[in-house]
Amino acid sequence: MQNRGRLGLKGARAQEWLAANGVIAPAAANSWTLSEAGAGTEGATDALLVARLGTSEFFVEGAASAPAMVKMSRLLDSASPGVYPVTREDWGFELGGEQVHEVLAQVCDVNFAALRLDAHPLVMTLMIGVAVLVVPLGGLQYRMWCDPTFGPYLSESLGAVVIECGGSYTGDRG
Amino acid sequence: MYRLEAPAGDWLDRSRPLRFAFEGREYPGYAGDTISSALAAAGVPFLARSFKYHRPRSILSFADHDSNTLFQVDGVPNVRGDVTWLREGMRVSAINTFGGLAGDKARVLDRFGRLLPVGFYYKAFHGRRLFPRWERMFRALTGLGEVSLNAARQATPKRHGFCDVLVIGAGPSGLSAAMAAADNGASVVLVDEALKISGNGAPPALLAAVRGAASISLRPATVAAGYYADHCVALASLDRLTKMRAKAVVFAGGAIEQPAVFRNNDLPGVMLASGALRLMERHGVAPGRRVVVVAANLEAYEACARLGARGVTVSAIVEWRAAPENGPAAAACIARGIPVIQAHAPYEAIRGPDGTVAGLLAVPVNAAGGVESGAPRRIDCDAILMSVGWAPAAQLLLQAGGRMRFSEALQQFVPQELPPGIFAAGRLNGIYDLESRLGDGRRAGSAAAHVGFSAASRPDAADEPRRPTPPLPTVGFDEELRVGERRPSHPFPIVDHPDGKNFVDFDEDLQVKDLENAAQEGFDSSELLKRYSTVGMGPSQGKHSNMNALRVLARFRGVGVERLGLTTARPMYHPVPMKLLAGRSFHPERRTPIDAQHAALGAVWMPAGNWRRPEYYAVPGESRAESIEAEVHAVRSGVGLIDVGTLGKIEVHGPDAGELLDRVYAGKFSGLKIGMTRYGLMLDESGVIVDDGVIARLAAELYYFTTTTGGSATVFRELLRLNALWGLNCALVNVTGHRAAVNFTGPASRDVLRALTDVDLGDAAFPYLAVRCGDVAGVPARLMRVGFVGELGYEIHVPAGFGPTLWRALYEAGRPRGLRAFGVEAQRVLRLEKGHFIVGQDTDGLTDPFEANAMWAVAMQKPFFVGQRSLKILAARGPRQKLVGVELAETARLPKECHLIIDQGQIAGRITSIARSRALNKSIGLAMLSPELAQVGRDIQIRIEDGGMVGGRVAAAIFYDPENRRQKPGAAA
């Protein structure tokens, strides 16, 4: 997933800070939402993906050039008390298609097929030994992130499984 | 045995003949044969040699429940012949033979059976002098199959599975349970170990309904190999292992037919009746031309009828019971003219000239249930089928926490108490009548489908009528319901013989007397008997032996079987190929963001924990040692560059950030000036050094610190735990993978770096141990002036995405000054010259700061830090060992790390680090040494690999620049 900007923040006042910057965060822990605050002239596809990790940590992804992303990245460095920046250089990628659940079943013990997508669940789990953040987008599409130092291993290993299941793998990191 | 010519709905495709080789000779077969069935059809007299006595063996269970039919196939060991499809061109050979199956040299062991009683190896072969020879002999003699070290790696696609109800066993009760669960809205997975699911006598309409049910996933050739917590079951198929997680499990694996025990019951041609029926009905192979059936239940007569339907002649039925079998099946046998020799037991199978069975001696059974061996009656035959009883396939039920009780009426164990979510049905539950089994399956499947739901219906079954949870008990029917039913198992199908060779466990070659001898020696509980005699420890895991072994033990002790109890086999219950467990062998590996640059520079990789790091950089024309030496020299004389991105990197924010660090580290950090760093030593509660790093204060409420490469996850987890425990007002952020880091070091490092940064690098503006933030090569960076390798240098940390840019810029800028990238080995030499210890290499699980000469990093006066109290105690006790420097007198034979230091014949210490130092022109090291010897100048002796001794001398640990001049102001300006 190229040209995506990411930032993270945590703290007792992190949600407040996001709201002050026009970003709506999900109310429930371990869930995600799309916030229009970052939408550029291109429309909804530029919305920011906002994930709530636990109770007081947030992960935000959007177009690197989105005004909201640029502004928040700058402001986080000198954020107010109770708001702490979390450096996010994640390796991001997407997995999707008819065989996606077969691939996921070979690398993870979460039953993704049984998730109730209307609740916008966010899954934090291990995938072949690597901690990952997974957002089910619906329509058999999943967006995932991991520590960048595990990125090549996870990407290559998943790619091998994808190819064996008859899929294709581009290997681009985002 | 022979092939039946007229096809009758079996599994063969006679239009596809195959050819294969066994023991070097070619044989025919068909598609649809297994290895065992093809060999049987070809009339091969015996297929294997037994484990201990090397007696000839052939098919026993034809259900993969014994080790008589394990083969070496195309280089793969222990292939299970009963359940492996025949393929064109297969090369098959027997295992456990020396010189081939027919000429096996070890067959002489059968004659020396008296010298090899149970447990003989505990009583002999332990003399110290000869033990190595006996060990080699036993290693050669024991074990099954040959492993090829050159075999290609076979990765298998292990996967996770999920379902509402897992049903194990696809016989009548299992099919019924699956259908009932599906009818109640559950997603069902139904597994069976048979290569094809045929229902085992279930109504064809039921089998068809199960096959057509969308919510039932049918998985033949799949063994449930182990039960794990929370209804997780390991399912082993031909090509993969599935970790199935179910909400409920129905165990419908039925019962395993048990052999009768009499002399020579292991001869080729003696087999279980159910095995003979499978062989005949699935693969068109008749067990013999003159078959004798040893009977003690209704199944024996049903077997005779099925044999007769295929034209196989049953010469006689040896009926063990006093009372005749009544009913249509028995009447049909009599009508067919099969003589029934009532109240007779098998006494001895007679061996023919080719080693297979040629007859049976039957003896009368007396009123007490014993036998009268005086006048045996001989019955000529070429096959003996045993149908004397069953034992429940209950091992997984026991693994799941089920408790069993012994039913006198049934002469088998039945479930007594089952954990929530576990159900049993069918023969495993003590139900034998077909209609009853179907009903029992419906009960279990329906109950399983309701697990986790209230009395209302399952929420998914929107169209189903709301049904209450079934009121039927989770275990089987009451004993009263079973009274009046037939008895499927003989209470004691065991006949003594003065000459022995009446086998209880075919895998382990255990006879009745072996078990009695073990009990006599005091191993008289089921657990002890198992461990001493090895009964039930072979590939069959007691499937055909545990029940009879219990009967022998019960008789010996004069108690009922119910007093003894069952042993629980641990997973895997059934042999599982290692490739299924290994799966794809994923090995998580971490790479720093600068990985590609290292590869481009010719890095030779080494594992460092789960990272890959450059050990050194290979240069054409240089050996490994020369390259490392050159890298060290570059750092000492000019400038070097190393990727230290594997270090743990943690930020702590907030008003109590300093307080947290004061508590978790031995030093004091709350008073650290903004813009400075300090070495941090982390101890555990017992005062042992567990980690170290550099702590930088970037702002009043922001610290940034490093940990060891291997310690980052552990340290972060521990800090989170302690912070939660103490409730301090601070937040921790682990940025280990999100920041790249390099160490740019050497006398010329400052000169080179000046051109790339806007940070003032002068000694006044940026003194030793300071930290500054600024741009380096246009990249936002944190620079720490630290001295791990003993030279002027800067550790530069940037966001991970900028790592390659930073590396390229520094590398290109440094090349005119002779820069070399240096790897882990060079760094080890450099820090060793400076006397810096590495936690976990120079320290061990007991090393405290006193022993490591690190008390300078401890601020004992703080109110509290982890390990403080222990240090006070340790101070009073004194060190057990001391970390010292070592110089070596000669360099020709360099000791290695962990080589021992010997003093007056005793171990006095060990080498922890060692290297040749070109800068110092000698070999140096660090060592842990007894305090009494730890004086500078003391001579020591180090024992190396060949047992020889190398001399050394204790030295001050800081070998290079002991006064730290390289770091002082003006150094390399």
Side-chain angles (χ1 to χ4, degrees):
Chain A
M1 295 189 301
Q2 307 221 347
N3 303 320
R4 307 295 292 176
R6 302 179 185 105
L7 59 88
L9 64 158
K10 67 194 294 185
R13 304 180 67 181
Q15 183 171 8
E16 201 178 301
W17 188 89
L18 283 172
N21 283 281
V23 175
I24 308 301
N30 300 334
S31 67
W32 64 279
T33 189
L34 290 175
S35 175
E36 295 293 331
T41 54
E42 289 84 348
T45 55
D46 279 341
L48 301 179
L49 187 149
V50 185
R52 186 174 200 139
L53 315 179
T55 54
S56 59
E57 184 172 348
F58 298 88
F59 167 74
V60 182
E61 183 184 78
S65 56
M69 289 297 295
V70 173
K71 180 185 168 195
M72 285 193 293
S73 298
R74 196 179 62 243
L75 288 177
L76 259 182
D77 283 340
S78 52
S80 46
V83 184
Y84 307 116
V86 177
T87 307
R88 300 298 308 217
E89 295 273 313
D90 298 62
W91 187 288
F93 51 101
E94 283 199 8
L95 200 62
E98 281 183 10
Q99 292 294 311
V100 69
H101 290 141
E102 172 60 29
V103 172
L104 289 170
Q106 291 192 28
V107 298
C108 184
D109 69 355
V110 171
N111 189 1
F112 286 98
L115 291 175
R116 301 187 84 106
L117 300 184
D118 54 355
H120 278 207
L122 170 83
V123 180
M124 289 184 280
T125 185
L126 285 178
M127 195 169 280
I128 46 178
V130 177
V132 293
L133 205 59
V134 182
V135 161
L137 298 173
L140 297 177
Q141 288 291 121
Y142 293 84
R143 193 173 289 175
M144 307 181 195
W145 301 267
C146 72
D147 182 303
T149 61
F150 281 112
Y153 155 75
L154 188 60
S155 182
E156 288 161 13
S157 303
L158 272 182
V161 178
V162 165
I163 289 169
E164 209 173 277
C165 289
S168 62
Y169 154 66
T170 62
D172 287 341
R173 74 154 293 176
Chain B
M1 298 182 209
Y2 62 96
R3 179 84 75 188
L4 294 165
E5 291 308 323
D10 56 29
W11 292 3
L12 299 182
D13 180 355
R14 284 171 166 78
S15 70
R16 290 172 53 205
L18 303 173
R19 305 247 356 134
F20 70 105
F22 175 62
E23 289 286 304
R25 192 174 155 185
E26 273 217 346
Y27 292 97
Y30 291 107
D33 261 325
T34 64
I35 297 174
S36 305
S37 69
L39 288 170
V44 177
F46 54 96
L47 311 182
R49 293 277 180 184
S50 67
F51 179 59
K52 184 173 161 187
Y53 299 123
H54 288 248
R55 290 166 64 91
R57 292 280 173 85
S58 186
I59 292 172
L60 172 65
S61 68
F62 197 63
D64 193 30
H65 289 170
D66 60 89
S67 63
N68 287 358
T69 49
L70 292 181
F71 300 103
Q72 188 97 3
V73 178
D74 296 329
V76 178
N78 299 331
V79 174
R80 299 167 292 162
D82 290 348
V83 292
T84 300
W85 295 115
L86 187 70
R87 286 190 328 269
E88 174 69 26
M90 255 180 172
R91 287 167 296 123
V92 182
S93 57
I95 59 171
N96 195 39
T97 65
F98 299 89
L101 181 61
D104 178 33
K105 293 184 184 63
R107 65 188 188 275
V108 300
L109 288 169
D110 193 22
R111 293 193 203 153
F112 297 106
R114 289 183 197 281
L115 302 178
L116 305 171
V118 65
F120 71 93
Y121 36 81
Y122 293 120
K123 306 181 177 80
F125 311 109
H126 48 68
R128 205 167 167 170
R129 191 171 63 86
L130 288 176
F131 182 75
R133 171 186 295 185
W134 302 131
E135 186 186 8
R136 283 194 295 274
M137 180 187 80
F138 277 111
R139 282 183 186 278
L141 274 177
T142 57
L144 299 173
E146 287 177 33
V147 173
S148 166
L149 297 178
N150 299 320
R153 173 77 173 85
Q154 295 180 40
T156 60
K158 199 158 48 170
R159 78 189 298 282
H160 299 270
F162 311 94
C163 65
D164 292 328
V165 178
L166 171 66
V167 180
I168 300 172
S173 52
L175 290 169
S176 183
M179 204 65 235
D183 285 343
N184 277 276
S187 63
V188 181
V189 170
L190 174 60
V191 303
D192 195 280
E193 61 182 2
L195 288 173
K196 290 186 182 184
I197 292 176
S198 53
N200 285 350
L206 174 60
L207 180 57
V210 167
R211 285 193 203 283
S215 59
I216 300 177
S217 170
L218 212 51
R219 311 220 182 152
T222 300
V223 172
Y227 175 92
Y228 301 86
D230 297 329
H231 306 322
C232 182
V233 178
L235 302 178
S237 308
L238 296 176
D239 64 341
R240 67 171 63 194
L241 189 82
T242 300
K243 299 181 194 177
M244 182 63 63
R245 200 171 288 281
K247 296 197 179 95
V249 183
V250 176
F251 289 88
I256 300 169
E257 191 161 39
Q258 302 295 292
V261 178
F262 53 93
R263 177 167 164 79
N264 288 339
N265 61 340
D266 69 322
L267 286 182
V270 182
M271 58 192 299
L272 297 169
S274 58
L277 292 175
R278 278 188 288 275
L279 192 59
M280 183 180 71
E281 292 170 345
R282 293 178 182 177
H283 304 283
V285 180
R289 298 188 188 276
R290 291 165 299 148
V291 176
V292 167
V293 175
V294 174
N297 53 27
L298 171 62
E299 283 81 359
Y301 296 85
E302 291 173 341
C304 290
R306 286 157 75 175
L307 289 164
R310 300 296 177 102
V312 177
T313 302
V314 177
S315 302
I317 296 172
V318 176
E319 171 57 73
W320 206 313
R321 298 168 291 180
E325 178 70 37
N326 294 318
C333 290
I334 293 169
R336 202 173 283 121
I338 301 174
V340 178
I341 305 170
Q342 199 72 40
H344 271 64
Y347 187 64
E348 179 177 341
I350 300 165
R351 187 196 303 268
D354 64 352
T356 65
V357 70
L360 175 67
L361 295 180
V363 292
V365 176
N366 59 33
V371 299
E372 305 294 336
S373 59
R377 176 173 168 174
R378 178 175 171 131
I379 310 164
D380 289 333
C381 61
D382 61 356
I384 300 173
L385 306 187
M386 302 175 285
S387 182
V388 300
W390 306 85
Q395 280 304 325
L396 254 65
L397 201 64
L398 293 171
Q399 289 176 12
R403 288 179 50 202
M404 310 286 281
R405 64 174 177 84
F406 189 72
S407 165
E408 276 295 333
L410 290 170
Q411 284 298 310
Q412 80 169 59
F413 284 90
V414 294
Q416 178 183 23
E417 205 175 299
L418 297 176
I422 300 290
F423 303 88
R427 285 180 171 175
L428 194 156
N429 209 16
I431 312 291
Y432 280 79
D433 174 73
L434 177 62
E435 283 307 312
S436 299
R437 286 157 72 188
L438 293 170
D440 200 37
R442 278 195 295 276
R443 170 200 60 79
S446 185
H450 284 79
V451 167
F453 293 95
S454 65
S457 74
R458 294 169 51 80
D460 289 336
D463 296 331
E464 293 295 319
R466 292 184 175 265
R467 305 176 192 173
T469 304
L472 294 173
T474 55
V475 293
F477 299 157
D478 285 337
E479 195 69 24
E480 282 73 21
L481 291 176
R482 294 197 182 98
V483 172
E485 280 196 17
R486 59 196 178 82
R487 309 292 200 252
S489 298
H490 193 281
F492 197 80
I494 298 164
V495 179
D496 295 315
H497 196 291
D499 296 330
K501 294 300 191 305
N502 45 357
F503 290 94
V504 176
D505 190 321
F506 293 76
D507 286 0
E508 300 289 307
D509 264 350
L510 287 169
Q511 313 162 57
V512 172
K513 67 178 179 183
D514 291 323
L515 302 179
E516 289 174 338
N517 287 342
Q520 192 165 357
E521 290 192 53
F523 302 98
D524 58 358
S525 71
S526 54
E527 295 283 354
L528 290 176
L529 182 69
K530 174 183 174 180
R531 279 154 183 74
Y532 184 71
S533 70
T534 75
V535 65
M537 292 171 72
S540 69
Q541 289 289 286
K543 292 182 180 72
H544 65 258
S545 60
N546 276 356
M547 196 61 229
N548 281 337
L550 277 183
R551 289 179 173 125
V552 170
L553 182 62
R555 180 179 70 171
F556 180 89
R557 286 182 49 182
V559 300
V561 169
E562 71 284 354
R563 287 276 306 275
L564 299 177
L566 290 168
T567 57
T568 302
R570 305 299 166 196
M572 299 287 163
Y573 169 52
H574 199 74
V576 174
M578 296 295 284
K579 67 180 181 182
L580 298 190
L581 299 174
R584 294 180 192 271
S585 291
F586 291 121
H587 289 293
E589 181 186 71
R590 301 180 81 165
R591 300 181 194 174
T592 72
I594 308 171
D595 187 88
Q597 278 68 39
H598 301 318
L601 289 175
V604 174
W605 301 105
M606 61 170 280
N610 60 0
W611 295 87
R612 83 169 184 177
R613 296 192 70 184
E615 184 189 9
Y616 68 99
Y617 296 84
V619 172
E622 281 182 359
S623 67
R624 174 181 178 274
E626 287 166 349
S627 290
I628 294 169
E629 224 171 73
E631 290 172 13
V632 170
H633 180 67
V635 173
R636 288 279 180 247
S637 62
V639 60
L641 177 63
I642 183 171
D643 180 357
V644 293
T646 61
L647 290 173
K649 306 170 207 69
I650 302 173
E651 294 172 355
V652 56
H653 303 254
D656 290 338
E659 174 63 24
L660 176 75
L661 294 172
D662 277 354
R663 295 189 191 188
V664 300
Y665 281 96
K668 187 155 173 63
F669 299 93
S670 54
L672 183 63
K673 285 184 187 168
I674 295 171
M676 293 303 291
T677 71
R678 184 170 292 156
Y679 175 75
L681 196 65
M682 186 178 286
L683 313 178
D684 67 12
E685 297 283 0
S686 60
V688 169
I689 297 170
V690 294
D691 206 84
D692 68 355
V694 173
I695 294 158
R697 189 168 191 175
L698 300 181
E701 295 182 1
L702 172 60
Y703 291 79
Y704 176 68
F705 58 99
T706 61
T707 74
T708 60
T709 292
S712 63
T714 308
V715 168
F716 184 64
R717 195 162 50 235
E718 180 64 2
L719 293 183
L720 285 174
R721 184 186 76 85
L722 291 172
N723 194 30
L725 196 64
W726 294 329
L728 296 175
N729 186 1
C730 59
L732 290 148
V733 182
N734 187 348
V735 295
T736 297
H738 298 269
R739 285 198 162 260
V742 302
N743 192 6
F744 190 63
T745 184
S749 59
R750 178 157 50 188
D751 259 358
V752 176
L753 186 58
R754 264 200 184 106
L756 297 174
T757 182
D758 55 0
V759 174
D760 184 350
L761 300 179
D763 282 325
F766 197 161
Y768 179 50
L769 298 181
V771 56
R772 299 289 180 263
C773 295
D775 282 358
V776 177
V779 173
R782 294 169 180 169
L783 298 87
M784 293 185 279
R785 186 175 158 183
V786 291
F788 185 55
V789 298
E791 298 293 341
L792 175 66
Y794 303 85
E795 208 171 275
I796 307 171
H797 294 231
V798 299
F802 291 116
T805 302
L806 175 71
W807 177 276
R808 274 194 297 270
L810 290 169
Y811 188 82
E812 291 305 320
R815 282 182 67 188
R817 301 295 293 263
L819 176 142
R820 278 184 80 137
F822 65 103
V824 173
E825 282 305 312
Q827 187 183 48
R828 283 196 175 147
V829 174
L830 291 161
R831 64 91 203 175
L832 179 60
E833 290 173 345
K834 199 64 186 154
H836 290 151
F837 62 74
I838 292 177
V839 174
Q841 175 169 334
D842 301 299
T843 69
D844 58 30
L846 296 174
T847 308
D848 58 57
F850 296 104
E851 296 172 344
N853 302 314
M855 283 305 292
W856 59 267
V858 178
M860 286 295 286
Q861 73 280 9
K862 289 191 296 183
F864 164 78
F865 62 89
V866 175
Q868 182 185 45
R869 187 169 179 279
S870 294
L871 288 188
K872 291 175 181 169
I873 297 169
L874 290 168
R877 187 195 72 184
R880 303 164 302 112
Q881 55 185 359
K882 292 287 284 183
L883 187 66
V884 299
V886 173
E887 296 174 347
L888 271 73
E890 62 168 301
T891 58
R893 294 188 303 163
L894 199 64
K896 294 179 182 167
E897 291 155 11
C898 285
H899 278 171
L900 300 174
I901 298 166
I902 307 295
D903 180 58
Q904 296 179 49
Q906 301 296 319
I907 298 172
R910 71 181 187 282
I911 299 294
T912 62
S913 292
I914 194 150
R916 286 197 174 92
S917 168
R918 175 175 153 183
L920 302 168
N921 200 27
K922 58 185 167 185
S923 293
I924 56 172
L926 293 174
M928 277 294 181
L929 193 58
S930 302
E932 309 81 61
L933 303 177
Q935 297 107 29
V936 172
R938 178 84 181 234
D939 286 334
I940 58 173
Q941 291 290 310
I942 306 154
R943 188 165 67 196
I944 60 175
E945 265 158 4
D946 59 6
M949 305 298 272
V950 171
R953 181 167 293 166
V954 178
I958 305 175
F959 304 94
Y960 178 80
D961 186 25
E963 290 163 18
N964 226 20
R965 290 180 199 281
R966 309 290 273 191
Q967 301 294 342
K968 293 221 166 105

